Amino acid sequence: MTTLITNIKRLVGVRKTNSPHSDRGLRGKELAELPAIEDAYLIIEDGVIAAYGAMQDLKSDGSRDRDPKSEINAVGQLIVPCWCDSHTHLVFASSREEEFVDKIKGMSYAEIAAKGGGILNSARKLNDASEAQLFTTAWERLEEVSRLGTGAIEIKSGYGLSVEGELKMLRVIKRLKERSNLSIKSTFLGAHAYPWEYKENHKGYIDLIINEMLPVIGKEKLADYIDVFCESGFFSAEEMEMICRAGMTYGLKPKLHVNQLNSIGGIESGIKLDAVSLDHLETLTDEDIKSLSAPATLEMGGRSSMATLLPSAAFFLRMPFPPARKLIDAGCAIALASDYNPGSSPSGNMNLVVSMACIQMNMLPEEAVNAATMNGAYAMELENEVGSIAVGKKANLIFTKPVPSLAYLPYSFGTSLIDRVMIKGEFI
Ligand SMILES: [Zn+2]
């Protein structure tokens, strides 16, 4: 099946595969470079990008001879690679808008927790829900975010906090992977919080993760990555390291929650563990920024840990936004993700994430789009499959409504500017 798209006003995020950037993500100044072709065509074969270029070259490069089965006229439209959302908690049992209202009324976190709120509330509800129920609601959310332009996504466990609950979540994610056309990565986050019964017995819960959960996850190949919530009052950097090393023996690479609330050594440990990404980063010391900006060493296979920022969580929690400008100016590689979850970011809308990054974090539109596509793909080790317009990559494309420029997308925040979304060459 061949599809030819013609008269594209601007084809955005055009990159050669195996370009020098593709093996380490876009860092520092590179983030501001977003190559594009004006008045372009694009050819898709069997769901994969086969050729592209300027309209004036369409006839001369023989592309017409491919005899397209279908032709789409994209006059006036921008085509942008689909968003690559590298950090979500999309499987959950129920929303938490009662807590949202309680917070507006001035209730403290402790009071909300005493009323049965927070992560442990989500965990109780998740353990009560059936696998089928969880799958149905997660599938609806996945469809919702794909209509908003997301074409690749990472999904975490972490609301089970029991052997059965965690495995149930990971099995739901496995089914989503099998059924969906989106590229999906699965992360085991058993170390999200301590469940009630282990409040005073941290070692007991870590033993449960290492001895009861991980062997099954390894055997059934239920996850790609392992995550730990490294914060004061949750898991220390030492505990994170111990859990990650155990996960790594089953082939799970670390992808970690660090420095949302405190700087307690999570970044240093994460880099030592060759983490695929270090996520949140609202609270950073100068030393942390220096560590994040260091280029990858050869022992790390040339891959560096992607610094992943989650502006919608900072927005929803009314916390300071992560210092994107400082990170970029120091030469870091940064990605943007939604953190879609019921407690701190009940939205998986990457268009809004890109807007917030520009409005609140002083990122240029080009930087934000790169961070939400190419670097998001890198943060899921999918950079050879999605994240840019390149021959051989999946045809996961956002067709915008007629807009004057790329900058118009984050500028007119909250407005739906997506006309249609294509996943693997098919409109959804
Ligand atoms: Zn998260």
Side-chain angles (χ1 to χ4, degrees):
M1 171 74 180
T2 304
T3 305
L4 169 66
I5 307 168
T6 55
N7 301 315
I8 305 162
K9 178 180 162 132
R10 195 180 169 119
L11 183 61
V12 178
V14 174
R15 288 181 193 281
K16 291 206 167 52
T17 27
N18 304 320
S19 70
H21 304 329
S22 63
D23 58 350
R24 59 196 170 92
L26 302 166
R27 305 179 72 90
K29 284 193 176 73
E30 294 164 355
L31 272 157
E33 296 162 19
L34 183 62
I37 301 174
E38 311 289 326
D39 193 20
Y41 73 89
L42 180 75
I43 295 172
I44 300 163
E45 277 174 357
D46 300 324
V48 169
I49 296 169
Y52 60 83
M55 275 306 284
Q56 63 198 43
D57 301 330
L58 180 58
K59 277 217 176 87
S60 60
D61 79 351
S63 304
R64 279 282 190 193
D65 302 339
R66 289 169 197 253
D67 184 26
K69 291 276 182 297
S70 65
E71 192 165 327
I72 299 161
N73 188 347
V75 67
Q77 299 185 296
L78 311 191
I79 291 185
V80 183
C82 278
W83 308 124
C84 299
D85 190 354
S86 62
H87 182 134
T88 83
H89 308 250
L90 178 140
V91 177
F92 53 87
S94 81
S95 55
R96 285 174 20 200
E97 65 273 24
E98 317 79 36
E99 282 175 45
F100 168 69
V101 176
D102 285 343
K103 250 186 240 166
I104 294 170
K105 287 179 179 164
M107 214 175 267
S108 72
Y109 182 79
E111 286 168 321
I112 291 170
K115 264 184 79 181
I119 292 176
L120 298 180
N121 177 27
S122 283
R124 189 173 46 75
K125 287 183 177 156
L126 188 127
N127 280 288
D128 289 343
S130 72
E131 195 176 312
Q133 281 170 329
L134 289 172
F135 177 81
T136 306
T137 51
W139 181 259
E140 284 165 6
R141 287 178 207 122
L142 200 58
E143 296 224 296
E144 181 209 351
V145 297
S146 64
R147 285 193 296 271
L148 291 166
T150 295
I153 194 164
E154 180 259 14
I155 310 172
K156 298 173 196 296
S157 71
Y159 293 125
L161 307 180
S162 65
V163 178
E164 260 183 33
E166 285 298 311
L167 294 177
K168 183 165 65 179
M169 283 189 84
L170 291 171
R171 288 183 183 127
V172 169
I173 302 170
K174 193 177 180 184
R175 278 180 64 199
L176 294 172
K177 268 189 182 188
E178 289 162 358
R179 282 271 296 276
S180 175
N181 269 336
L182 269 65
S183 303
I184 300 177
K185 289 284 182 137
S186 167
T187 302
F188 168 54
L189 176 56
H192 198 186
Y194 289 99
W196 286 118
E197 55 275 37
Y198 289 98
K199 266 256 146 310
E200 305 303 325
N201 179 14
H202 288 190
K203 188 183 174 300
Y205 186 59
I206 293 171
D207 285 347
L208 193 75
I209 291 174
I210 294 175
N211 301 325
E212 306 290 330
M213 299 183 195
L214 278 172
V216 186
I217 293 165
K219 195 167 155 231
E220 294 185 25
K221 299 204 177 349
L222 288 174
D224 303 295
Y225 302 117
I226 185 158
D227 192 351
V228 176
F229 192 69
C230 180
E231 291 290 343
S232 301
F234 291 84
F235 296 84
S236 69
E238 292 72 31
E239 289 166 338
M240 176 177 86
E241 219 174 307
M242 192 196 305
I243 295 165
C244 286
R245 294 220 182 271
M248 286 156 84
T249 64
Y250 296 96
L252 309 184
K253 294 183 189 173
K255 190 164 166 55
L256 304 165
H257 279 78
V258 293
N259 292 54
Q260 181 180 11
L261 312 165
N262 312 277
S263 179
I264 57 164
I267 290 175
E268 210 187 324
S269 297
I271 290 173
K272 205 162 74 185
L273 289 162
D274 292 348
V276 171
S277 70
L278 297 166
D279 304 12
H280 266 297
L281 311 175
E282 282 88 340
T283 312
L284 293 175
T285 63
D286 289 345
E287 200 52 42
D288 290 331
I289 294 178
K290 213 171 133 199
S291 310
L292 285 167
S293 66
T297 60
L298 275 181
E299 301 90 75
M300 293 162 73
R303 287 192 77 89
S304 51
S305 302
M306 182 60 67
T308 301
L309 312 180
L310 313 166
S312 41
F315 169 73
F316 191 80
L317 295 174
R318 300 178 195 133
M319 281 178 61
F321 284 82
R325 202 66 264 154
K326 265 190 177 175
L327 288 164
I328 295 172
D329 294 346
C332 296
I334 67 168
L336 290 166
S338 74
D339 198 16
Y340 193 4
N341 79 81
S344 60
S345 180
S347 160
N349 188 340
M350 285 295 286
N351 307 285
L352 211 47
V353 167
V354 167
S355 278
M356 280 184 207
C358 296
I359 299 164
Q360 296 288 346
M361 288 150 62
N362 262 356
M363 287 175 73
L364 295 167
E366 291 80 5
E367 291 173 330
V369 171
N370 273 325
T373 54
M374 200 52 214
N375 279 7
Y378 185 90
M380 296 185 274
E381 297 180 292
L382 289 172
E383 70 273 14
N384 295 319
E385 190 178 314
V386 291
S388 65
I389 307 295
V391 172
K393 283 196 179 183
K394 286 185 183 169
N396 288 2
L397 310 169
I398 295 173
F399 289 61
T400 71
K401 291 177 183 165
V403 290
S405 65
L406 180 83
Y408 190 82
L409 300 176
Y411 158 81
S412 73
F413 73 94
T415 307
S416 171
L417 294 169
I418 295 178
D419 177 35
R420 287 195 284 183
V421 175
M422 184 179 262
I423 302 289
K424 282 164 91 179
E426 305 274 343
F427 283 121
I428 57 167

